[in-house]
Amino acid sequence: MNDEFYMQLAIEQAKKAEEQNEVPIGAIIVYQDKVVGTGYNVRELTQQTLSHAELVAIQEANQTIGSWRLEDCTLYVTLEPCPMCAGAIVQSRIKRVVFGAFDPKAGCAGTLMNLLDEKRFNHQVDVTAGVLETECSDLLTSFFKALRKQRKS
């Protein structure tokens, strides 16, 4: 299985968010070719700041693995991680992050800065960017276009 296969699973999570009128961002965590955590945005539903897809997936992976350390795991996420999620990724010791769409407003895996490769931290993360970028970007673009249209009505 390759990055595109796992990103497609993250996209499926993003679509679950969209079905609940959440920003369609999805994430999965893979350890030894097995999905150990899944998540999608539920911030509007829960009204909790920490309800980003990556953090939901990290919590599930922690429970599945039985440790706060997610060493040798890869996180797949449809949108480049924000500063909060990038910090959690570093703290959880995730080895690699693969993301789809770039985030020009909050991206901290290379766009605005790269917190995942900050040498002053005790852990750095390998990053692969732009996997199924068009599909991931299209999900977000169509969601926000529909939201703007709905607000105008």
Side-chain angles (χ1 to χ4, degrees), residues 20-134:
Q20 297 182 27
N21 294 317
E22 293 278 351
V23 177
I25 301 169
I28 66 159
I29 297 176
V30 176
Y31 175 69
Q32 296 181 344
D33 294 323
K34 180 182 176 204
V35 175
V36 295
T38 63
Y40 55 88
N41 270 7
V42 289
R43 192 166 58 169
E44 295 302 321
L45 180 68
T46 65
Q47 289 299 301
Q48 295 180 9
T49 305
L50 302 178
S51 297
H52 283 199
E54 298 95 321
L55 299 181
V56 173
I58 286 170
Q59 287 181 321
E60 187 175 296
N62 291 148
Q63 291 175 341
T64 301
I65 290 175
S67 176
W68 65 268
R69 287 183 176 91
L70 300 178
E71 298 165 329
D72 298 321
C73 288
T74 299
L75 181 136
Y76 292 84
V77 61
T78 57
L79 182 66
E80 180 179 4
C82 72
M84 175 178 68
C85 293
I89 290 163
V90 169
Q91 290 298 313
S92 64
R93 309 299 194 267
I94 288 173
K95 182 177 185 174
R96 181 170 176 246
V97 168
V98 179
F99 72 85
F102 291 83
D103 186 351
K105 295 181 180 180
C108 284
T111 297
L112 297 180
M113 64 183 67
N114 191 348
L115 290 176
L116 301 178
D117 192 34
E118 174 54 59
K119 302 300 183 220
R120 293 173 289 182
F121 291 146
N122 64 344
H123 178 74
Q124 288 76 44
V125 182
D126 294 328
V127 176
T128 301
V131 174
L132 299 183
E133 180 180 359
T134 301

